[in-house]
Amino acid sequence: MNILENKEKILSKIHSACQKKNMPSKGVNLVAVTKYVSNETTKNAVLAGIEHIGENRIEGLLEKKGFLSDLSVKWHFIGTLQSRKVKDIINHVDYIHSLDRLSLAKEIQKRAERTISCFVQVNVAEEDSKHGIAVKDVLSFVDKLKEYDRIKVVGLMTMAPFTDDESTIRNVFSALKQLQLEIQNKNFPHAPCEELSMGMSNDYVIAVEEGATFVRIGTDLVGKEF
Ligand SMILES: *Cc1c(COP(=O)(O)O)cnc(C)c1O
C-alpha cells in the first residue's frame, strides 16, 4: 500500500468531481477509516498528510489515539455508539458521526466535558439493516437537540445502500443535501449543519458531486490488512 499515492489519486478524483459541479475542492475533507489496518499503517497515513482519522470501534480509536499521541490528528467516531459506552469515548473524539437517537444525545450531554461536534445519522434509504433517523423525522429530532448544549449539530451523515446502481446511490446523497438545506433554513443556533459526511471507497465521487464535505475512505486509501 502506498498511502501517499492513494491519497493523491483520491484527491485528484475529488478535485475533478468538484470542478464538474463548480465547487471548491478545498471544502472536502478526507477522513481515513483505519478499522482494517494496524497502528503502524495508521501512523503512515498521518505521515502522508492525512489529518482526519475515523474508527467505528471504541477500542480501535483509543488504541490508535494512544499510539499517535505525539501527532496532530482529528479523531472521528463513525460507528454505532451504545449509550453505556459514551463515557469511554466522548472526551477523546473531535467528531461523532452517528448521533441517531435522543437517549444517546442525553448521555452525551451528561458525559461530555465540552461541546462535541456531531453529525446526525440519517437512514435515507430506510434500510432495516442501517442505523439512523428516517428522513421525515430528522427536522424534529434536530429541533429537540437544542436542549443539549454539549451537542453542536455540524452536519448530517448517511451511508448509501450497497449497490452498483449509481442512480440509487446518487438519489440517497442528494436527498441528504436537500435535508441539509431544510435544516439550514431554520437557522438553528445549535445546528449550523454546514457539513455532509457521505461517501466511502466505492461511492465517494458521487458523494462529492452531491455535496459531501467529509468523505470516509478506508480500503482505497489505507487498504485492508485484517
Ligand atoms: C468502514 C466504514 C467506512 C469506509 O469503508 P471503505 O469501503 O473501506 O472505504 C466508511 N464509513 C463507515 C461508517 C464505515 O464503517
Side-chain angles (χ1 to χ4, degrees):
M1 266 290 150
N2 186 328
I3 296 177
L4 193 57
E5 224 167 74
N6 295 345
K7 185 187 108 178
E8 294 306 324
K9 204 166 123 192
I10 290 166
L11 289 181
S12 117
K13 284 192 186 177
I14 289 174
H15 187 71
S16 309
C18 288
Q19 272 194 325
K20 187 170 153 191
K21 297 283 179 174
N22 275 315
M23 302 182 301
S25 55
K26 288 233 176 326
V28 183
N29 300 284
L30 184 52
V31 180
V33 177
T34 54
K35 65 188 180 200
Y36 300 127
V37 300
S38 66
N39 291 342
E40 279 297 340
T41 301
T42 305
K43 185 171 183 176
N44 287 337
V46 176
L47 296 177
I50 298 287
E51 296 165 24
H52 300 272
I53 300 287
E55 275 281 332
N56 66 337
R57 288 181 319 113
I58 289 174
E59 304 72 37
L61 190 146
L62 294 178
E63 195 189 308
K64 281 167 176 132
K65 192 173 180 185
F67 188 76
L68 301 181
S69 58
D70 52 347
L71 295 171
S72 163
V73 176
K74 296 279 183 213
W75 293 95
H76 295 251
F77 189 77
I78 62 172
T80 306
L81 187 51
Q82 292 173 276
S83 296
R84 67 189 170 83
K85 298 259 179 89
V86 166
K87 60 179 184 316
D88 301 335
I89 190 92
I90 200 68
N91 294 307
H92 299 281
V93 294
D94 298 289
Y95 296 87
I96 297 275
H97 289 241
S98 48
L99 176 54
D100 63 354
R101 55 196 194 279
L102 280 180
S103 56
L104 182 56
K106 205 170 279 182
E107 189 64 15
I108 292 172
Q109 177 70 23
K110 188 168 147 194
R111 303 289 185 173
E113 289 161 5
R114 58 184 162 84
T115 303
I116 309 291
S117 294
C118 297
F119 289 85
V120 169
Q121 185 171 352
V122 186
N123 188 355
V124 178
E126 308 220 345
E127 292 178 285
D128 291 341
S129 59
K130 292 221 166 80
H131 291 267
I133 300 195
V135 169
K136 63 174 172 34
D137 300 327
V138 170
L139 209 52
S140 72
F141 179 75
V142 170
D143 184 34
K144 289 189 188 106
L145 292 176
K146 65 176 178 285
E147 307 296 326
Y148 305 94
D149 64 5
R150 292 285 155 103
I151 292 174
K152 180 179 177 190
V153 181
V154 295
L156 304 177
M157 179 275 214
T158 200
M159 282 193 268
F162 284 106
T163 170
D164 290 334
D165 183 33
E166 191 183 312
S167 69
T168 303
I169 297 172
R170 192 176 294 281
N171 288 341
V172 165
F173 293 152
S174 75
L176 199 70
K177 177 72 200 184
Q178 285 310 310
L179 199 50
Q180 178 197 33
L181 295 175
E182 269 182 59
I183 294 167
Q184 286 180 338
N185 267 333
K186 298 285 181 189
N187 289 311
F188 293 129
H190 70 288
C193 207
E194 285 165 332
E195 314 295 348
L196 287 179
S197 167
M198 57 190 197
M200 312 183 5
S201 290
N202 59 330
D203 56 17
Y204 70 89
V205 171
I206 306 171
V208 169
E209 286 177 1
E210 299 304 325
T213 63
F214 284 84
V215 291
R216 311 176 308 267
I217 304 184
T219 318
D220 273 17
L221 180 56
V222 292
K224 205 166 178 173
E225 297 165 354
F226 45 78

